Amino acid sequence: MEKWLVQHAVGAFLVNENNEVERFEPNPKDIDQAVQEAMVIEGWTRGIKEGTEKVGGLSSAAKRLLENLKEEGFEGTIVFETEGESREASSMGFEVKVVPANDKAIYVRENVAELSVKYGMMESKEEFYDWLHKLTIEVVRRKLRSVAQKRDLLAVHAVRTIDDIDKIINLLIARLREWYSLHFPELDDLVKDHDLYARIVAEIGSRDAMTVERLKELGLKEDLAEKIAEAAKKSTGADLTETDLEQLQKLASIVEDLYSLRRELVDYISYIMKEVAPNVTALVGPVLGARLISLAGSLENLARMPASTIQVLGAEKALFRALRTGGKPPKHGIIFQYPDIHRSPKWQRGKIARALAAKLAIAARTDYFTGRDIGEKLKEELRARIDEIKRVYQKPPKREEKAERKAPPARKRGGRRPPRRKGGKRRGGGRRRK
Amino acid sequence: MALEVVNVYEHPHYPNVYIIELEDGSVRLATKNMVPGKRVYGEKLYQWEGEEYREWNIYRSKLAAALVKGIEELPIKPGDSLLYLGAATGTTPSHISDIIGPEGRLYGVEFAPRVMREFVTLAEERKNIFPILGDARKPREYRHLAEATDGLYADVAQPNQAEIVADNADFFLKDGGYMLMAIKARSVDVTKSPEEVFRREIEILKNRGFEILDIVHLDPFDKDHAMIYARFHRRSKQ
Ligand SMILES: C[S@@+](CC[C@H](N)C(=O)[O-])C[C@H]1O[C@@H](n2cnc3c(N)ncnc32)[C@H](O)[C@@H]1O
């Protein structure tokens, strides 16, 4: 007696010689798990080289189906479509045959939507196709992630470019404000937002042209536009000619362009990060995620770091200083930018940072090693942990920690170093104060 | 300045393909845009009587060129399922997606990650496009991700394409299903002075159960290719 075992991502079908499905075992409907099963059937493993012969295998559904069959004492031959499947089955003790694209397999593939409804796995054919659509997209995404050679470095360069742009903008805008203040000094105080300031100068230029309508066209609110127009009329600044203003306006429009490039880079980073590190992105967003990868050097480096290192990534200076002086180590590095850390009271920050770093370590490893998408789950777990911290540590701790540490008398407050003479910059969260 | 549309009507021979008449008297091929407002490859969008149409560029899509060259028929119809080999970034697949509509399915196989990155974005916008990152030479590696289909379209630019097509047909194409294949062919009169390679490819198709219905050369829109249209007769395999 012969029976045909046909595998599909939805599950395994056992078909008899009359084209009747005798059994069906479903694969998990959950997309993430279904992707895993699909990869097993295909014989796809991370980092597989192009042209390497893949050895497909049996999904967990197919294995279950065969085990049941074995227990019931089935004696006969099972026909498969691939060597990989048949080898596994023969090691389970079955007689096997391989006939690729056999009639029964075609029958299953012709009716797979109906069959998945008939066996109660799907409510309707529409549901099956929606599910398959999601599945195929997710399978592709997972494969792309793993062949994403160095695409993480694209995000790294983009985020470093953002930092460069910020420095350049700060430099240029300081110059622009000073220069334009010769003509319209009052604007400096009225418009604090650099992007907007540059736009007003670039688009309008002369303060005489600053009417309420014109300003509103640039997206300013009514009352601010009125204030500026008013101030322009009464300005104490010097009159400038068109030639004088032309150079200024060129500078201003370059600043504007830099802002727009910055926005584009943020979008670009989101696009790349979604592809190479969706789990890290789910936790901390694309830009902070890219900064972490940038500090680690690559996604691979980040994936190989223990959570404790991730926690202080970006605060290396503070860490080394602490090691050198025996002072307090930083509680957080760049992850200080995570809203739930910097917005929380100080005594909660270290705990939240530890919780976040632990999840980030899992996220980075998952992104790098398996490419699975478990972002939502990680996010929920982190949320729960943060809520717990906020509940349990609602009140600031008693001052008992003071006694614990034998701080040298020179230090003013618990464990902190006396201020540096040169007023060196303090980077990284741990030392920032409001 | 964009030209005004003066008339739009369905193609007399090819259902669900539209002809757009412009004010300067020129005409364009188009399909009804399934995702209004979205372009796929920079093609023009035209509005007419509350519908949006996407220009189907005959220099960019070999299938469009085959229609203009008068291929026997366009077998693709609403609700069809298709296996598409060599989906690339989805230029032709997007028009097939418009034609088969929300009830249809197009399984697009492509093995180059770089282009697949764009194709998968298209698939996210169009629920009738199912992307498969795989090698068309190994249909067994994606047999569990697709289904048996009404049609097969191939444009993989591989020297042994006929064999690839036949292997995929064995795995996926329904008995009586249609097949369209873009094939390299220098000489314009393909039937009279067929090149050796070309003849061998046709031979393989015939031996593997394909009944050739039509062959058109795509010159001048594509000087190097012809389109083969065939029907598949499945042979039993136990
Ligand atoms: C000429 S392009 C297809 C253009 C597309 N049909 C269109 O009209 O929009 C050929 C594509 O086939 C892909 N390709 C070539 N060999 C392949 C194979 N063995 N498996 C899958 N895709 C393949 C190439 O990567 C390329 O993107």
Side-chain angles (χ1 to χ4, degrees):
Chain A
M1 187 185 25
E2 280 187 353
K3 291 200 194 293
W4 287 257
L5 190 125
V6 185
Q7 293 204 86
H8 191 276
V10 273
F13 299 84
L14 190 73
V15 187
N16 67 19
E17 69 276 14
N18 302 321
N19 264 0
E20 288 157 350
V21 174
E22 292 192 343
R23 280 162 204 241
F24 170 69
E25 278 289 336
N27 271 321
K29 209 164 153 180
D30 172 80
I31 294 289
D32 181 57
Q33 291 176 40
V35 172
Q36 301 284 95
E37 299 292 345
M39 297 299 199
V40 170
I41 299 173
E42 177 175 344
W44 192 93
T45 43
R46 185 169 217 292
I48 194 160
K49 291 274 174 318
E50 224 231 291
T52 321
E53 207 48 52
K54 294 189 199 109
V55 183
L58 298 171
S59 69
S60 56
K63 276 190 198 135
R64 219 164 42 237
L65 192 155
L66 289 173
E67 272 157 17
N68 291 341
L69 211 56
K70 187 97 238 164
E71 263 170 38
E72 291 160 27
F74 173 83
E75 292 194 8
T77 305
I78 309 264
V79 185
F80 293 94
E81 286 193 275
T82 70
E83 295 291 342
E85 295 168 295
S86 76
R87 232 174 289 148
E88 275 189 55
S90 106
S91 74
M92 289 171 78
F94 286 97
E95 287 293 315
V96 296
K97 242 172 86 175
V98 178
V99 184
N102 61 64
D103 291 353
K104 310 297 183 273
I106 303 300
Y107 168 76
V108 167
R109 286 197 279 274
E110 252 185 66
N111 299 286
V112 62
E114 283 93 340
L115 290 171
S116 71
V117 176
K118 183 173 169 196
Y119 290 95
M121 171 146 181
M122 300 287 168
E123 291 283 326
S124 62
K125 283 166 79 169
E126 289 70 40
E127 192 194 354
F128 168 77
Y129 288 123
D130 284 348
W131 177 87
L132 188 61
H133 188 244
K134 284 202 197 91
L135 179 82
T136 50
I137 287 178
E138 202 39 50
V139 167
V140 170
R141 289 224 169 277
R142 186 156 322 169
K143 290 179 182 174
L144 284 179
R145 241 168 255 150
S146 86
V147 296
Q149 308 153 320
K150 309 215 164 171
R151 287 184 68 80
D152 54 336
L153 298 188
L154 294 174
V156 166
H157 282 293
V159 82
R160 288 182 188 168
T161 305
I162 285 187
D163 292 342
D164 293 343
I165 288 177
D166 286 345
K167 277 186 215 140
I168 298 169
I169 286 181
N170 281 335
L171 211 65
L172 294 183
I173 196 82
R175 168 67 53 222
L176 181 71
R177 280 177 183 272
E178 224 178 293
W179 190 354
Y180 191 69
S181 287
L182 292 177
H183 175 57
F184 187 6
E186 295 79 5
L187 190 67
D188 189 38
D189 271 339
L190 284 170
V191 181
K192 286 285 168 215
D193 182 74
H194 295 332
D195 193 4
L196 190 59
Y197 188 92
R199 202 178 327 145
I200 294 173
V201 178
E203 305 290 325
I204 308 182
S206 169
R207 67 167 190 248
D208 298 335
M210 287 195 196
T211 58
V212 176
E213 297 82 73
R214 192 79 186 81
L215 287 162
K216 274 163 69 184
E217 272 169 35
L218 294 184
L220 273 79
K221 294 226 178 65
E222 177 99 40
D223 55 338
L224 182 58
E226 273 167 12
K227 269 190 208 154
I228 294 174
E230 197 56 31
K233 273 187 224 146
K234 298 190 210 146
S235 179
T236 57
D239 289 334
L240 294 185
T241 67
E242 239 171 66
T243 323
D244 296 335
L245 283 169
E246 200 181 308
Q247 305 307 315
L248 256 166
Q249 284 181 279
K250 270 190 195 150
L251 174 63
S253 75
I254 286 175
V255 173
E256 260 198 291
D257 287 349
L258 286 171
Y259 272 111
S260 106
L261 174 59
R262 192 189 194 284
R263 282 188 289 271
E264 277 172 34
L265 283 168
V266 170
D267 286 348
Y268 175 68
I269 290 172
S270 306
Y271 163 78
I272 296 284
M273 287 293 289
K274 213 173 110 188
E275 177 188 322
V276 301
N279 295 300
V280 169
T281 305
L283 283 176
V284 295
V287 175
L288 182 49
R291 285 194 199 288
L292 283 162
I293 295 177
S294 166
L295 287 164
S298 68
L299 179 61
E300 179 178 357
N301 289 355
L302 188 66
R304 294 187 192 284
M305 280 179 180
S308 55
T309 307
I310 295 177
Q311 193 180 334
V312 295
L313 208 53
E316 286 75 12
K317 276 194 193 151
L319 182 64
F320 289 141
R321 202 186 307 131
L323 291 174
R324 219 169 42 233
T325 62
K328 216 164 126 193
K331 292 198 198 83
H332 29 63
I334 192 80
I335 61 171
F336 183 76
Q337 293 178 357
Y338 184 69
D340 261 306
I341 296 181
H342 67 251
R343 286 201 204 123
S344 294
K346 251 216 213 118
W347 66 88
Q348 293 176 357
R349 290 180 188 167
K351 294 187 173 60
I352 298 177
R354 177 141 21 97
L356 174 60
K359 291 295 175 215
L360 276 169
I362 299 170
R365 271 170 231 159
T366 312
D367 283 334
Y368 184 72
F369 292 107
T370 71
R372 291 179 58 182
D373 195 342
I374 54 167
E376 281 312 306
K377 185 172 141 270
L378 290 176
K379 225 162 111 176
E380 267 167 43
E381 289 169 1
L382 178 64
R383 185 87 301 227
R385 177 70 188 127
I386 291 176
D387 290 346
E388 189 188 331
I389 292 171
K390 297 209 165 254
R391 214 171 40 245
V392 178
Y393 302 97
Q394 230 173 50
K395 301 228 175 64
K398 304 261 158 48
R399 280 285 171 149
E400 72 218 358
E401 54 177 310
K402 244 188 179 170
E404 242 170 61
R405 234 175 289 114
K406 310 159 268 168
R411 292 181 193 172
K412 279 192 211 131
R413 287 184 54 203
R416 281 187 200 270
R417 239 182 138 244
R420 288 234 215 137
R421 231 171 301 148
K422 272 165 92 188
K425 252 185 268 160
R426 286 179 168 171
R427 284 268 215 73
R431 331 208 110 242
R432 218 161 300 185
R433 263 172 281 166
K434 281 238 175 96
Chain B
M1 217 17 242
L3 293 168
E4 286 281 326
V5 181
V6 294
N7 195 13
V8 174
Y9 49 90
E10 197 169 28
H11 195 290
H13 297 301
Y14 309 125
N16 306 296
V17 175
Y18 294 84
I19 292 175
I20 312 265
E21 283 183 11
L22 298 174
E23 56 183 342
D24 67 350
S26 66
V27 291
R28 305 283 145 89
L29 227 48
T31 53
K32 241 180 222 173
N33 195 356
M34 194 170 106
V35 192
K38 290 246 174 188
R39 286 186 175 77
V40 176
Y41 55 99
E43 73 281 17
K44 288 215 169 58
L45 301 180
Y46 296 106
Q47 316 294 330
W48 183 254
E49 297 186 339
E51 294 277 2
E52 185 173 284
Y53 297 83
R54 292 168 52 230
E55 176 181 7
W56 194 353
N57 189 322
I58 51 183
Y59 290 93
R60 303 270 307 266
S61 170
K62 295 178 192 112
L63 183 55
L67 298 183
V68 175
K69 291 298 298 280
I71 195 163
E72 173 97 8
E73 70 174 321
L74 176 65
I76 305 168
K77 55 183 190 311
D80 274 6
S81 54
L82 258 104
L83 181 67
Y84 191 116
L85 308 177
T89 53
T91 303
T92 303
S94 71
H95 289 288
I96 296 181
S97 155
D98 282 345
I99 294 173
I100 61 179
E103 303 292 308
R105 276 100 45 205
L106 180 148
Y107 298 89
V109 181
E110 171 58 56
F111 75 172
R114 196 179 52 78
V115 284
M116 183 45 99
R117 262 184 202 108
E118 276 179 57
F119 187 64
V120 73
T121 316
L122 184 69
E124 280 177 338
E125 280 169 14
R126 290 172 175 255
K127 72 184 217 56
N128 63 8
I129 295 189
F130 297 64
I132 294 174
L133 178 59
D135 187 340
R137 288 169 293 199
K138 297 170 184 168
R140 69 165 175 79
E141 292 183 354
Y142 47 88
R143 69 189 189 288
H144 58 302
L145 295 173
E147 61 180 313
T149 59
D150 304 309
L152 172 57
Y153 186 100
D155 183 13
V156 284
Q158 292 277 350
N160 57 337
Q161 193 172 211
E163 203 181 324
I164 295 175
V165 161
D167 289 347
N168 277 277
D170 282 349
F171 268 88
F172 297 103
L173 193 53
K174 291 182 189 168
D175 186 30
Y178 55 85
M179 191 280 280
L180 289 158
M181 161 176 161
I183 181 173
K184 204 153 189 109
R186 281 280 151 62
S187 59
V188 176
D189 193 349
V190 279
T191 40
K192 267 211 191 116
S193 61
E195 297 135 52
E196 179 59 28
V197 191
F198 186 87
R199 214 170 41 223
R200 215 175 45 229
E201 291 280 286
I202 299 283
E203 233 14 73
I204 292 173
L205 289 178
K206 285 183 179 161
N207 289 336
R208 302 274 306 259
F210 287 97
E211 171 196 353
I212 310 288
L213 302 176
D214 197 11
I215 304 176
V216 289
H217 200 280
L218 305 182
D219 180 78
F221 312 111
D222 183 319
K223 292 192 168 56
D224 298 327
H225 290 90
M227 183 70 74
I228 300 179
Y229 170 38
R231 188 167 308 290
F232 182 56
H233 301 287
R234 185 167 273 290
R235 288 155 195 184
S236 170
K237 274 195 191 180
Q238 292 300 317

